[in-house]
Structures are given as structure tokens and as C-alpha cells.
Amino acid sequence: MHKEEQLLRSQWLRNVTSAEYREGVKVLKNCIVQHEIELWLTDSRLLDTILFADQQWLKREIGPLFKSSSLQRIARVLTEDVFNYIWLENIVQQIKEEHEVTVELAQFSSLEAAFDWLRME
């Protein structure tokens, strides 16, 4: 965490089970709320495609967070697997429509590009 920038950086160190994924997301959610995080960089390059049930759970778990927190931008670093890219874009679009939020999401193939976008004014 970079408190002066209100930036949280998270990294998945390996592919995880459904239970581990959900627990990790809950920890990140609590950190975002507790520390009033505005910018979140998540390195998801080691995750496989998330199961549909976990995608729907993520939408329910994170959707209200987008509206009630200080979060403004999310940068996700991932592999070039198009399915990994598409599912999160769809979930975020659904969250934006359901909760009327303006959190920005961008997905990148490098940490440098993600950092540059997050810090862009």
C-alpha cells in the first residue's frame, strides 16, 4: 500500500481455488474501505479464468463497494487471454449500470503501463 498516493497494489502469486479467491477479494475489499483507497493495481497474471459462479459472487461483493468507497480507478494486469479480459469488462459494466458508479477500469499487459494510467491526471 502506498498511503501517500492512496494506492493499493495486490498480486495473485498463483492460481487459486474458488474459496481462496473469495477470501482474497474480501481482504482486498476491507483494505480498500479501511484505508480509503482511490487507486487499485491488481496483478492477475497468474490467475486462470475465474469460474462463472465466482464472477457473479464478485459482482455482488464488489458492486456496492464501488458506490460506497473512495475507489476511483482500477488497473488490472493480466495475460493476453481474451476470456480473462472480457469477463471482467462485462462484470464491471454490469456493476456500473446497476449501481450508477463511475469507477474506471483498465486492463494492461504490463505493470508499467498500469502504473502510468493510474497516476494519470
Side-chain angles (χ1 to χ4, degrees):
M1 197 166 38
H2 305 270
K3 288 185 181 183
E4 63 281 350
E5 294 180 275
Q6 293 179 295
L7 169 68
L8 174 65
R9 180 176 174 186
S10 61
Q11 178 180 15
W12 295 98
L13 301 176
R14 62 177 170 80
N15 196 34
V16 294
T17 66
S18 176
E20 291 171 326
Y21 179 75
R22 291 180 184 212
E23 185 60 31
V25 168
K26 288 178 185 177
V27 168
L28 292 166
K29 177 184 172 184
N30 289 337
C31 187
I32 288 167
V33 171
Q34 184 177 25
H35 298 285
E36 299 179 343
I37 297 297
E38 293 180 3
L39 309 173
W40 178 16
L41 172 65
T42 181
D43 185 343
S44 301
R45 290 177 286 186
L46 297 181
L47 285 183
D48 286 339
T49 301
I50 303 302
L51 298 173
F52 182 75
D54 290 332
Q55 293 175 23
Q56 296 306 304
W57 173 87
L58 179 69
K59 183 173 83 169
R60 290 188 306 273
E61 187 73 16
I62 295 295
L65 173 70
F66 282 11
K67 192 165 191 164
S68 65
S69 73
S70 302
L71 196 59
Q72 296 173 9
R73 286 187 176 177
I74 304 168
R76 181 176 183 234
V77 181
L78 68 160
T79 63
E80 294 182 14
D81 178 355
V82 69
F83 296 110
N84 259 331
Y85 179 89
I86 291 172
W87 78 259
L88 188 63
E89 288 286 334
N90 289 338
I91 294 292
V92 170
Q93 186 58 41
Q94 291 171 24
I95 289 171
K96 285 181 173 185
E97 291 170 3
E98 291 174 18
H99 296 278
E100 299 178 4
V101 294
T102 59
V103 173
E104 296 179 69
L105 168 74
Q107 301 190 77
F108 302 90
S109 58
S110 77
L111 288 171
E112 296 79 19
F115 269 124
D116 288 346
W117 179 79
L118 281 174
R119 292 178 171 142
M120 187 175 62
E121 292 289 329

